[in-house]
Amino acid sequence: MNSKNSNNNGSSIGNCFAEDGTDIKDTNKLVILNAHVVSPGSMDLLPVEDMPLLDKPNQAIVVEDGVIKAVLPSTEAPSGSQWKVHDVKGALVIPALTECHTHAIFSGERAAEFHARIEGETYHDQQKKGGINATVSATRYATDESLLSNLKYWLGVFLRQGVTTVEVKSGYGLSHEQEIRLLSIINEVKQQQQQAFVEVAPTYLGAHAVPKEAKSREDYIEEMVMKTMPVVRNEGLADFVDVFVASVAYTVEEADFIYNAAHGLGFSLKAHLWELEHDNSRKLLEKYPFVSVDHLEFAQREDLEVVFDQGTVPVLLPLTAWHLGYDIRRTYDLIKDLKGYFAISTDFNPGTSFSPSLWQAITVAHIEFGLPIFELFFASTVYGAKALGLNDRGAVLPGNKADLAVLTVPSLDWLGYLHGINPVDMVFKNGSPVQ
Ligand code: NIG
Ligand code: FE
């Protein structure tokens, strides 16, 4: 541990004072001094093996109006009374992380299902009696206030671990009213969190499961396409439309119909693909532009060729794969073979991944699946941002948002090695220290 840093009063969450004792919260000119900057070295969607690693000790990160203006030797840092200085005394400073795939708005829990799965029940079978629809019942029953406060709680958990951007999918409402309600709550949190330091990217995932009470699949699909999606679009309630394409959820043909409407309305597209089995979803990729395609445990080489041809970001979800007993190593090997790139995320949800920790996802991807730690670092920073179509964060480079995390560990080699603790000492969002 970097005890010098972790004992430093100026660098723990809640203590936001510069060396001279002045408050640095409201400043628009800040120098983070004596930073050991470790970051992806490019904002381009490069093959992961070509992504340069920036590793520079004794740096000053110069921040103006929430944006990184320069990264230069501490000896060349600007000075003068207009600059607030925060000395991190040699600590590692990395870009804040991005969670590009979560189902963080829900109520209730499915612990019994989880343990039954550990003892051999399958996720497929559970979808018939409980599964996603069990969480839908609990979520519909919950008040707006409790959904709002739960979501804020989980976002706070992400934030304290250095995550400043979180995608949140609807999908536990599964009716017009309930999906609009969930998206409205996500957007309410989005407004509040803008001041409170997490940025939220909302996704409409009405096609997460078929609701139990639906007269027919076609009926519910028509409701999504004709009724809900236009309202979501007109009211600006979601950036993305996502579909769970799987034998337990929606067919490729149904997804095609939904994406056709979503694309026509001008939504950006995401997809849950090849999570439980392989299918011919490749034709969706050939037809529509996807920002990201996520899961991919059963993806084939030809599928990934199309993913990279289109400039789409594949998102691996190690915690879900770990729990369901699937392998992301095979997908990763294909990605490497094709000279591709990838993002990772937690897939945080009460069914298959009840862990709001990207650090744990990194650890599992490293220990269980053997993915290299520096690639996982890129996957959770620059490529995570790209999986949300964001080009202004994920690397400590001039022009990017000053979304930063100060770590307690002395080097990135410690990630996945020292595990089970939060390695984040302090977070900056848009150049402001997080309380
Ligand atoms: O990403 N794949 C669909 N959705 C989640 C699981 C949601 C649930 O089981 O509640 C996932 O694994
Ligand atoms: Fe998911």
Side-chain angles (χ1 to χ4, degrees):
M1 295 292 267
N2 183 342
S3 58
K4 236 167 80 190
N5 174 51
S6 50
N7 291 334
N8 166 21
N9 282 337
S11 69
S12 59
I13 294 172
N15 290 314
C16 304
F17 296 94
E19 287 297 286
D20 63 359
T22 52
D23 195 334
I24 60 173
K25 277 199 294 287
D26 299 321
T27 184
N28 63 342
K29 283 180 185 288
L30 174 71
V31 176
I32 300 172
L33 203 62
N34 296 317
H36 184 159
V37 174
V38 184
S39 169
S42 168
M43 286 304 293
D44 294 335
L45 202 47
L46 297 173
V48 63
E49 63 194 37
D50 295 342
M51 177 56 73
L53 179 76
L54 213 96
D55 184 348
K56 290 182 171 173
N58 300 320
Q59 297 296 294
I61 304 170
V62 182
V63 178
E64 268 184 271
D65 298 321
V67 173
I68 300 170
K69 287 289 165 195
V71 181
L72 38 78
S74 284
T75 47
E76 296 169 24
S79 57
S81 58
Q82 74 273 36
W83 290 96
K84 300 288 185 215
V85 178
H86 183 79
D87 189 345
V88 296
K89 300 182 174 165
L92 287 197
V93 179
I94 64 167
L97 311 184
T98 291
E99 271 284 359
C100 60
H101 182 137
T102 84
H103 304 255
I105 186 161
F106 60 87
S107 192
E109 46 87 18
R110 287 168 29 218
E113 264 187 13
F114 172 82
H115 296 296
R117 272 204 303 277
I118 299 280
E119 290 179 19
E121 268 187 33
T122 69
Y123 185 68
H124 287 76
D125 287 343
Q126 290 180 341
Q127 290 304 317
K128 291 173 203 144
K129 44 186 180 157
I132 292 173
N133 264 302
T135 300
V136 169
S137 302
T139 303
R140 287 178 178 177
Y141 190 71
T143 62
D144 293 1
E145 293 69 32
S146 72
L147 288 167
L148 185 86
S149 80
N150 287 351
L151 177 56
K152 280 165 73 172
Y153 171 79
W154 293 121
L155 292 175
V157 173
F158 285 123
L159 180 61
R160 287 191 291 280
Q161 298 178 83
V163 177
T164 54
T165 307
V166 181
E167 185 255 16
V168 182
K169 301 175 196 294
S170 68
Y172 291 118
L174 302 192
S175 71
H176 176 76
E177 291 71 22
Q178 289 285 338
E179 285 290 310
I180 296 290
R181 179 170 88 114
L182 295 185
L183 288 171
S184 302
I185 293 168
I186 296 169
N187 277 275
E188 197 176 329
V189 173
K190 181 175 165 171
Q191 299 310 324
Q192 295 181 10
Q193 297 291 309
Q194 251 153 22
Q195 291 114 46
F197 302 115
V198 176
E199 262 177 88
V200 176
T203 294
Y204 172 56
L205 178 62
H208 195 192
V210 178
K212 274 203 257 155
E213 74 282 359
K215 275 202 252 103
S216 68
R217 302 174 68 86
E218 294 72 30
D219 255 37
Y220 179 61
I221 292 170
E222 191 180 310
E223 177 181 287
M224 283 192 279
V225 165
M226 304 301 291
K227 194 171 169 191
T228 310
M229 283 192 335
V231 174
V232 173
R233 186 67 187 162
N234 288 340
E235 296 186 8
L237 293 176
D239 301 332
F240 305 98
V241 165
D242 193 345
V243 178
F244 183 15
V245 188
S247 58
V248 298
Y250 288 86
T251 67
V252 177
E253 285 63 38
E254 289 166 339
D256 188 358
F257 186 71
I258 296 165
Y259 284 127
N260 185 48
H263 186 49
L265 285 166
F267 283 104
S268 295
L269 307 181
K270 288 181 159 283
H272 281 69
L273 292 190
W274 305 305
E275 176 180 356
L276 306 173
E277 61 268 312
H278 188 254
D279 59 29
N280 63 343
S281 290
R282 188 162 72 238
K283 69 180 199 194
L284 299 172
L285 288 169
E286 286 163 345
K287 202 162 164 189
Y288 307 106
F290 284 84
V291 178
S292 78
V293 288
D294 306 28
H295 283 286
L296 314 183
E297 287 83 347
F298 292 88
Q300 303 297 317
R301 187 184 180 88
E302 301 71 41
D303 303 323
L304 287 160
E305 278 170 358
V306 181
V307 168
F308 295 124
D309 279 353
Q310 312 278 29
T312 297
V313 180
V315 179
L316 302 180
L317 302 158
L319 296 175
T320 309
W322 183 42
H323 169 59
L324 293 180
Y326 297 140
D327 186 13
I328 56 166
R329 178 71 205 200
R330 197 194 54 82
T331 311
Y332 167 80
D333 287 341
L334 289 171
I335 289 171
K336 288 288 282 192
D337 212 40
L338 291 167
K339 304 221 172 311
Y341 43 79
F342 64 100
I344 66 161
S345 194
T346 56
D347 194 19
F348 177 60
N349 74 78
T352 57
S353 179
F354 201 36
S355 170
S357 172
L358 202 41
W359 298 112
Q360 199 198 8
I362 288 173
T363 297
V364 167
H366 188 54
I367 298 179
E368 174 73 10
F369 298 113
L371 275 55
I373 203 70
F374 281 88
E375 294 187 10
L376 291 165
F377 172 59
F378 298 148
S380 53
T381 53
V382 64
Y383 297 124
K386 296 275 180 188
L388 294 178
L390 300 170
N391 295 308
D392 61 353
R393 67 199 74 186
V396 187
L397 292 172
N400 273 356
K401 278 173 178 281
D403 283 15
L404 305 163
V406 183
L407 300 190
T408 57
V409 291
S411 92
L412 275 203
D413 286 335
W414 280 44
L415 299 181
Y417 165 50
L418 176 68
H419 58 88
I421 68 155
N422 177 14
V424 174
D425 192 20
M426 183 179 184
V427 181
F428 287 88
K429 174 70 182 146
N430 295 325
S432 289
V434 170
Q435 296 304 292

